[in-house]
Amino acid sequence: MPAAMDLSLLLPSPSTPSRNLLFSPFPFNPLRPKALSFRRRTLRRCRVSASSVDPSAFGGIKELSGPQVIVDALPPPARVLSSAVLVAAALAAGFGLGSRFGGSRAAALGGAAVLGAASGAAVFALNSIAPEVASVSLHNLVAGSDDPMELRKEDVDGVAKKYGVNKQDEAFKAELCDLYSRFVSYVLPPGGENLKGNEVEMIIKFKETLGIDDPDAASVHMEIGRRIFRERLETGDREADVEQRRAFQKLIYVSSLVFGEASKFLLPWKRVFKVTDAQVDIAIRDNAQRLYALKLKSVGRDIEEKQLIDLRESQLLYKLSDELAAEMFKDHVRKLVEENISAALDILKSRTKAVKGTVQVIDELEMVLAFNNLLVSLSKHSEVGQFAPGLGPISLLGGEFDGDRKIDDLKLLYRAYATESFSSGFLDEKKLVGLNQLKIIFGLGNREAEDIMVDITSKVYRRRLSQAFSGGELEAAPSKAAFLQNLCDALHFDPHKASEIHEEIYRQKLQQCVAKGELSEEDVSSLLRLRVLLCIRQQVVDAAHADICGQLFEKVVKDAIASGVEGYDAEIRAAVRKASQGLRLTTESAIAIASKAVRKVFLTYVQRARSAGNRIESAKELKKMIVFNTLVVTPLISDIKGESVTSAEPTKDESKQTEEEDEWESLQTLRKTRPSKELEAKLEKPVQTEITLTDDLPERDRTDLYRTYLLFCLSGEVTVVPFGAQITTKKDNSEYLLLNQLGTILGLTGKQIVEVHRNLAEQAFMKQAEVILADGQLTKARIEQLNEAQKQVGLPGEYAQKVIKNITTTKMAAAIETAVTQGRIGIQQVRELKEAKVDLDSMISERLRENLFKKTVEEIFSSGTGVFDAEEVYVKIPADLSIDAEKAKDVVLELAKNRLSNSLVQAVALLRQRNREGVVASLNDMLACDMAVPSEPLTWSSPEELADLYCIYLKSIPKPENLSRLQYILGISDATAAVLRDTAERGALPIENEEEEFVF
């Protein structure tokens, strides 16, 4: 009988971790989180490359215990056979022992059962540690490999197959999760570091190598998140808290890429960690941007199609939106361009800049343009959809050079490139395209770029023009205009700008020539040659002479005007003549210059006249202006024209004015402004008419000034004598001649002057006429008085009659309106006034005319005749009163309705009073109202009274139609009417007897 077997060798060792710890979803770790974090950082420093994993990240090699060694040494078939042999031997031994000590078959079976059960337990214990041995073997396989990334799935499956365990066994599955957890924790960089970009690929590959399911792997990711979350709660350092937050964001991002769309239900971040969708999106977006930015670092100015395709694939892999990817690509391109711009600026602003430095600046800008052309061409590629988004022209918006402070630097670079573009003396199309692109890249406005180009091309144009002028090329050209146009085309220069340069050159030459105060014949010839060569228009030449020569001439004119009335002597006149002729100004230009200075003096006099205290003082100031015009301005204009001041024939305008004013010669004040032949001979010198205040003062102000002086001419000058008395000094007709000159200075036309005189005469005549026609009655004696007043003021008869008519009409209108109000005027009087051509519409208000119509209709309805003429009432009367016919008809209908019933009541009342004529008149009024508004039969409380009314009307021998209509209105039947008529024929009407008794 063999010795008893030590069963402790087959049982788990006391040092072996308990099954709860071993089979937990994640391995037990006695280290504190900070210590664990420190260990992970230590392990990460030992990485040899971005795609390799240090085996030490999985821990050291695990040792097997006694029973585990046995299980490890026995393959699954041998372990099964050994278990069977052990059980059989135990049964045999138990049977033998039972037989030996029990002496019976029952004891033998009992012994066999006991030892068989013990051997079975030992066999079960031995087989149960097989998963543990497999997990230890798997751990040692991963931890002992040179590079765990080189492991294959077959190696992991071989371990499970070797020990005959299933991957879903708790111990083996726990080891798989532990290895995966350690791997993920190792691959993910610390919180302060960015992702390298290969983490997702490595995790997916290692997960597939282990053969771990997605739900189990997702649980590992969630547990890593819990660990990071706990570390964050236990960390009191702010920087460490930020680091853990970034680590958590990276875990979320990598997990979403590892599990793809399944991450939405495999990774319950929101439920477990109480984060929002926005926070998850931010974590994915930020890490995707960091990875894409890392990918963009490999992109240079020589980007190729393959790189763009690779970027597109990376963008999709990183789950980065097209908008953000495009923005990041543009930012990267902008930074590359900013490097070139900064380098160019450093060279350009260097104090030691030389020709070589300028070349380097142009090279940097050419690199920018080449890069821009490459991006534009790639954006137009047929397969642009496969390229990274963001391709297109370069823009500096949002970068270092986006702002007003940097715009000046960009202008310097643009100016440098533009200047270099003209180094050959002309601007080719390639350089022009480059300048346009550079303007867009720098964000320069059209005006800013145009100003720079105009400045540069102007200098180049001047230089080329100077060379052509000095070399004789311009003078030898058969067509000067064609030569200049070709030069502008070669430089892409605006011909209008070139014309401005030509004008500037001419002005400079002119200023040099007039420096001595006049233009000689040689100067004139030189200026003419320059004008021909530069194709300068005559208008430009005249404007230049008027400006430059005009300034000198203006000074001479101001000195002459400043000399005053007494100082304008022969010496000053000679200076004016010399300046006018020596400066070669046209007569029009010289007069225009003089006009400007003279009008300022005129306006000064006008201002003084307006601010004067009374009309006399205002007239004195205006008189000074007239004298100034006669003694200074008139000789000045003659000197400018080179004429002697002699009498001249009237101009066309003066002749025209004279013809217009012939019919107004009756106005005495106007006639006095015309000098007689004797007075003209005494005056000898006519005044100038070229300079007036027509454009400086409005017409009303000019006529007011003329009127002021006209009143002064009429009233004379008032002199104050001792004791406060005032004496009016009478003026002769010479004041009216000054008035005529004042009209010329003010620029008044003959018609305007006549209007002023007429208004004044009309006002004077109106005052006298209002006194004469105080009561509005126009008699023969008063007509003679009015004619005498008209002759005194010289007002034409037409306007005198208009004034008289206005006065009489106004007086008559008041009288007529009063008569209408009092009822003294009816429709018949209105018609008579209309026949007399009296405008009643303006004299009688519409309200009074409507009242008059209403009163007239009431008279028709109360006349007692029974007559109603519809045409008369509806057409003729409204037309005579000029009121609305429809409104008048409404008034008639309303009055007829009211009057109809009232007439019946009145007829009955008169019947009771035994007034037979009144009854007949009332019934006629009722019939007239019925003609206007046909009535229905009327009702009355006493039919006998209606019959009496009918009898009385019957006895008045009316018209048959009126009697028949009255019968209808009174509601009397035909039978009753026939009886009444028979009775009347027999003379037996009762009303007749009563009337005879009533009449004495």
Side-chain angles (χ1 to χ4, degrees):
M1 190 70 185
M5 182 179 294
D6 187 1
L7 297 177
S8 64
L9 297 175
L10 302 176
L11 297 175
S13 173
S15 61
T16 304
S18 64
R19 180 175 299 275
N20 291 335
L21 293 177
L22 184 63
F23 288 172
S24 63
F26 299 100
F28 174 76
N29 194 339
L31 297 176
R32 289 179 58 80
K34 289 186 177 180
L36 181 61
S37 178
F38 173 75
R39 188 181 70 171
R40 286 203 308 270
R41 286 196 283 270
T42 304
L43 292 174
R44 285 168 187 149
R45 294 191 189 101
C46 300
R47 297 177 182 176
V48 295
S49 66
S51 60
S52 63
V53 180
D54 192 343
S56 61
F58 302 96
I61 301 298
K62 295 182 178 180
E63 299 294 337
L64 297 174
S65 60
Q68 292 175 342
V69 174
I70 296 174
V71 174
D72 182 61
L74 293 175
R79 191 170 63 249
V80 173
L81 181 61
S82 299
S83 300
V85 172
L86 178 60
V87 172
L91 290 173
F95 187 83
L97 291 174
S99 299
R100 181 178 178 181
F101 293 103
S104 64
R105 182 176 179 80
L109 291 174
V114 171
L115 290 180
S119 64
V123 170
F124 177 76
L126 185 65
N127 289 327
S128 64
I129 64 175
E132 298 178 6
V133 176
S135 63
V136 172
S137 178
L138 176 63
H139 176 84
N140 293 337
L141 174 65
V142 177
S145 64
D146 295 336
D147 185 3
M149 292 300 299
E150 299 297 331
L151 292 176
R152 299 176 300 169
K153 185 178 181 182
E154 290 78 6
D155 298 335
V156 177
D157 294 340
V159 173
K161 186 176 181 181
K162 176 181 177 181
Y163 297 101
V165 298
N166 191 346
K167 283 188 176 182
Q168 298 301 320
D169 186 86
E170 293 185 7
F172 195 79
K173 182 178 178 181
E175 183 62 30
L176 288 174
C177 292
D178 178 55
L179 293 173
Y180 183 72
S181 176
R182 291 175 181 272
F183 182 83
V184 173
S185 300
Y186 175 84
V187 170
L188 290 178
E193 298 181 12
N194 293 327
L195 295 171
K196 302 298 187 293
N198 60 344
E199 291 85 357
V200 176
E201 182 181 357
M202 293 174 64
I203 291 174
I204 293 176
K205 181 179 180 182
F206 191 73
K207 181 170 72 72
E208 292 176 351
T209 299
L210 295 179
I212 187 172
D213 295 336
D214 283 349
D216 296 331
S219 299
V220 172
H221 284 257
M222 295 300 295
E223 184 61 27
I224 295 173
R226 291 189 183 94
R227 186 169 65 247
I228 295 174
F229 193 74
R230 286 194 300 270
E231 291 179 7
R232 181 183 174 189
L233 294 177
E234 296 176 4
T235 300
D237 188 5
R238 182 180 180 85
E239 295 182 359
D241 180 71
V242 175
E243 181 179 343
Q244 295 301 330
R245 185 185 296 112
R246 286 197 60 187
F248 186 69
Q249 290 179 341
K250 285 183 284 189
L251 175 65
I252 293 176
Y253 174 66
V254 171
S255 302
S256 65
L257 295 184
V258 169
F259 297 103
E261 294 295 330
S263 62
K264 295 180 180 179
F265 56 87
L266 289 177
L267 302 172
W269 304 112
K270 294 181 289 183
R271 178 173 57 81
V272 176
F273 300 102
K274 307 301 181 185
V275 295
T276 62
D277 291 334
Q279 291 173 322
V280 174
D281 293 339
I282 290 174
I284 295 175
R285 183 197 64 192
D286 292 347
N287 286 279
Q289 286 180 316
R290 294 188 185 100
L291 285 178
Y292 196 69
L294 184 64
K295 193 75 175 177
L296 285 173
K297 289 183 179 179
S298 61
V299 176
R301 298 174 184 82
D302 54 350
I303 188 172
E304 298 177 353
E305 299 176 6
K306 183 179 180 181
Q307 286 180 292
L308 294 173
I309 295 175
D310 185 38
L311 280 175
R312 177 62 173 174
E313 294 175 352
S314 299
Q315 175 215 338
L316 298 177
L317 177 63
Y318 299 154
K319 291 187 176 180
L320 185 64
S321 64
D322 290 346
E323 292 79 7
L324 291 177
E327 184 179 352
M328 292 181 66
F329 185 85
K330 292 178 180 178
D331 291 344
H332 178 71
V333 168
R334 186 186 64 245
K335 291 178 181 177
L336 292 177
V337 173
E338 286 174 352
E339 293 177 2
N340 296 109
I341 294 175
S342 298
L345 282 174
D346 292 340
I347 299 171
L348 192 63
K349 294 182 178 180
S350 176
R351 295 183 178 180
T352 59
K353 182 184 69 172
V355 178
K356 185 177 180 181
T358 304
V359 174
Q360 293 176 351
V361 171
I362 301 304
D363 291 342
E364 294 290 342
L365 297 178
E366 289 289 355
M367 291 175 62
V368 172
L369 293 175
F371 190 30
N372 182 71
N373 292 332
L374 176 60
L375 293 176
V376 172
S377 62
L378 290 173
S379 67
K380 298 178 181 179
H381 197 277
S382 59
E383 298 181 358
V384 68
Q386 300 180 8
F387 294 164
L391 290 171
I394 299 172
S395 176
L396 298 180
L397 295 177
E400 177 185 356
F401 294 93
D402 182 17
D404 295 337
R405 296 182 178 180
K406 295 292 184 178
I407 194 66
D408 293 335
D409 293 340
L410 297 177
K411 288 181 180 180
L412 288 176
L413 292 177
Y414 187 81
R415 180 179 291 274
Y417 190 84
T419 303
E420 183 63 23
S421 301
F422 287 99
S423 58
S424 59
F426 61 91
L427 181 64
D428 58 10
E429 293 295 332
K430 182 179 179 181
K431 292 292 185 180
L432 184 61
V433 173
L435 284 169
N436 291 331
Q437 292 181 358
L438 209 58
K439 178 189 70 174
I440 298 173
I441 293 172
F442 288 169
L444 298 179
N446 292 331
R447 177 165 296 183
E448 294 173 325
E450 183 180 354
D451 291 343
I452 295 174
M453 288 298 297
V454 168
D455 184 29
I456 295 173
T457 50
S458 297
K459 294 177 181 178
V460 177
Y461 183 80
R462 285 177 180 274
R463 185 173 63 251
R464 292 285 302 273
L465 188 63
S466 177
Q467 293 173 357
F469 194 85
S470 60
E473 297 178 16
L474 180 59
E475 190 170 5
S479 174
K480 311 299 186 293
F483 182 89
L484 295 174
Q485 183 63 44
N486 293 335
L487 183 58
C488 291
D489 294 341
L491 298 177
H492 292 273
F493 191 45
D494 186 5
H496 296 288
K497 297 292 182 182
S499 299
E500 293 176 1
I501 293 177
H502 299 166
E503 181 180 355
E504 184 180 352
I505 294 173
Y506 186 86
R507 283 176 171 270
Q508 292 175 353
K509 180 65 175 177
L510 179 59
Q511 288 177 346
Q512 294 175 0
C513 294
V514 300
K516 55 184 177 296
E518 60 180 354
L519 292 175
S520 62
E521 293 297 332
E522 184 180 355
D523 294 334
V524 173
S525 177
S526 177
L527 289 171
L528 179 60
R529 176 174 176 270
L530 183 62
R531 174 198 165 190
V532 172
L533 291 177
L534 298 181
C535 300
I536 302 175
R537 294 177 299 171
Q538 183 63 41
Q539 295 88 337
V540 176
V541 172
D542 293 341
H545 280 262
D547 185 17
I548 297 173
C549 300
Q551 293 178 2
L552 299 176
F553 183 72
E554 184 179 7
K555 184 177 181 303
V556 175
V557 171
K558 287 183 177 180
D559 293 340
I561 293 174
S563 63
V565 176
E566 298 178 356
Y568 195 77
D569 53 13
E571 183 179 354
I572 293 178
R573 296 188 62 178
V576 172
R577 287 177 177 270
K578 178 181 179 182
S580 176
Q581 298 174 3
L583 294 175
R584 308 299 175 104
L585 288 170
T586 61
T587 303
E588 292 77 9
S589 299
I591 292 178
I593 295 171
S595 174
K596 184 178 180 181
V598 169
R599 284 185 286 111
K600 287 183 179 180
V601 179
F602 282 167
L603 290 175
T604 302
Y605 283 114
V606 170
Q607 185 64 29
R608 291 176 184 174
R610 287 177 173 176
S611 59
N614 51 57
R615 185 196 308 162
I616 303 300
E617 297 298 327
S618 298
K620 289 181 179 180
E621 292 296 331
L622 294 176
K623 188 172 184 179
K624 292 178 182 179
M625 181 174 67
I626 298 170
V627 173
F628 173 78
N629 178 65
T630 304
L631 300 181
V632 177
V633 181
T634 300
L636 177 65
I637 298 301
S638 299
D639 293 335
I640 292 174
K641 293 181 177 180
E643 301 173 349
S644 59
V645 184
T646 57
S647 57
E649 297 180 358
T651 60
K652 293 182 179 179
D653 293 339
E654 293 175 349
S655 301
K656 183 177 180 181
Q657 292 178 7
T658 303
E659 294 175 1
E660 293 177 352
E661 297 162 7
D662 285 344
E663 58 177 321
W664 298 96
E665 284 301 318
S666 60
L667 291 171
Q668 293 185 9
T669 56
L670 182 62
R671 189 168 57 248
K672 291 178 181 180
T673 61
R674 303 288 181 264
S676 62
K677 295 182 179 180
E678 298 177 357
L679 191 55
E680 284 183 354
K682 292 180 180 180
L683 292 175
E684 295 181 355
K685 300 178 181 179
V687 296
Q688 62 86 24
T689 58
E690 286 82 0
I691 303 177
T692 65
L693 295 176
T694 304
D695 300 327
D696 299 280
L697 294 174
E699 180 182 348
R700 182 173 181 179
D701 292 349
R702 291 183 283 126
T703 54
D704 287 345
L705 292 171
Y706 186 87
R707 178 186 178 87
T708 299
Y709 200 83
L710 175 57
L711 292 174
F712 171 75
C713 294
L714 291 173
S715 61
E717 184 175 356
V718 178
T719 304
V720 180
V721 298
F723 304 105
Q726 294 182 351
I727 299 176
T728 301
T729 304
K730 189 177 181 180
K731 293 291 181 180
D732 56 15
N733 293 342
S734 61
E735 293 293 341
Y736 288 95
L737 299 180
L738 296 181
L739 177 64
N740 185 27
Q741 295 181 11
L742 178 62
T744 303
I745 297 173
L746 294 175
L748 295 175
T749 63
K751 186 176 181 181
Q752 292 171 339
I753 293 175
V754 167
E755 188 68 18
V756 174
H757 286 265
R758 185 191 63 77
N759 287 336
L760 191 62
E762 186 174 333
Q763 290 178 7
F765 178 76
M766 185 179 296
K767 289 181 180 180
Q768 298 182 38
E770 286 177 349
V771 175
I772 296 173
L773 299 174
D775 57 355
Q777 299 297 325
L778 190 61
T779 62
K780 183 177 181 181
R782 291 179 178 179
I783 292 175
E784 293 178 356
Q785 292 178 357
L786 291 173
N787 291 336
E788 185 65 24
Q790 175 189 349
K791 292 179 180 180
Q792 289 178 359
V793 299
L795 185 67
E798 176 185 355
Y799 289 89
Q801 291 300 322
K802 189 179 294 184
V803 171
I804 295 172
K805 183 178 180 180
N806 289 337
I807 295 174
T808 55
T809 301
T810 304
K811 301 289 185 180
M812 186 183 298
I816 291 175
E817 189 167 348
T818 302
V820 171
T821 305
Q822 296 175 354
R824 292 186 286 108
I825 291 182
I827 186 63
Q828 189 62 32
Q829 289 77 16
V830 168
R831 288 172 174 170
E832 291 175 358
L833 290 173
K834 283 218 166 191
E835 291 177 358
K837 306 299 182 181
V838 177
D839 187 9
L840 293 178
D841 295 346
S842 60
M843 296 182 180
I844 306 176
S845 63
E846 184 178 2
R847 181 182 59 82
L848 287 177
R849 283 183 271 126
E850 290 176 352
N851 292 337
L852 180 59
F853 175 78
K854 185 176 182 180
K855 182 179 179 181
T856 303
V857 174
E858 288 177 347
E859 291 176 354
I860 293 174
F861 287 151
S862 61
S863 62
T865 60
V867 177
F868 179 81
D869 188 352
E871 183 179 1
E872 173 73 12
V873 176
Y874 291 144
V875 180
K876 294 181 179 180
I877 297 178
D880 292 336
L881 295 176
S882 300
I883 60 176
D884 186 16
E886 293 297 327
K887 187 182 295 187
K889 187 174 183 180
D890 294 338
V891 172
V892 172
L893 296 179
E894 183 179 359
L895 290 174
K897 289 179 182 179
N898 296 332
R899 186 69 182 176
L900 185 67
S901 57
N902 293 337
S903 297
L904 177 60
V905 174
Q906 186 178 2
V908 173
L910 293 173
L911 174 67
R912 293 172 181 176
Q913 296 174 11
R914 308 299 178 90
N915 186 349
R916 182 176 178 181
E917 290 79 7
V919 170
V920 174
S922 296
L923 293 176
N924 282 332
D925 292 340
M926 187 170 62
L927 290 174
C929 293
D930 179 69
M931 292 178 186
V933 182
S935 172
E936 296 294 329
L938 301 177
T939 59
W940 190 254
S941 58
S942 175
E944 291 78 6
E945 290 181 332
L946 296 179
D948 291 343
L949 292 176
Y950 182 81
C951 291
I952 291 176
Y953 195 75
L954 176 63
K955 195 172 182 180
S956 66
I957 312 175
K959 294 181 179 180
E961 59 270 16
N962 289 349
L963 183 63
S964 175
R965 187 61 186 171
L966 180 64
Q967 174 189 343
Y968 174 78
I969 295 174
L970 296 178
I972 298 174
S973 63
D974 293 340
T976 303
V979 171
L980 293 175
R981 285 195 297 271
D982 293 341
T983 304
E985 290 176 358
R986 294 195 304 271
L989 287 175
I991 189 66
E992 182 179 356
N993 297 330
E994 294 177 1
E995 183 179 351
E996 290 175 353
E997 293 176 359
F998 178 75
V999 177
F1000 292 97

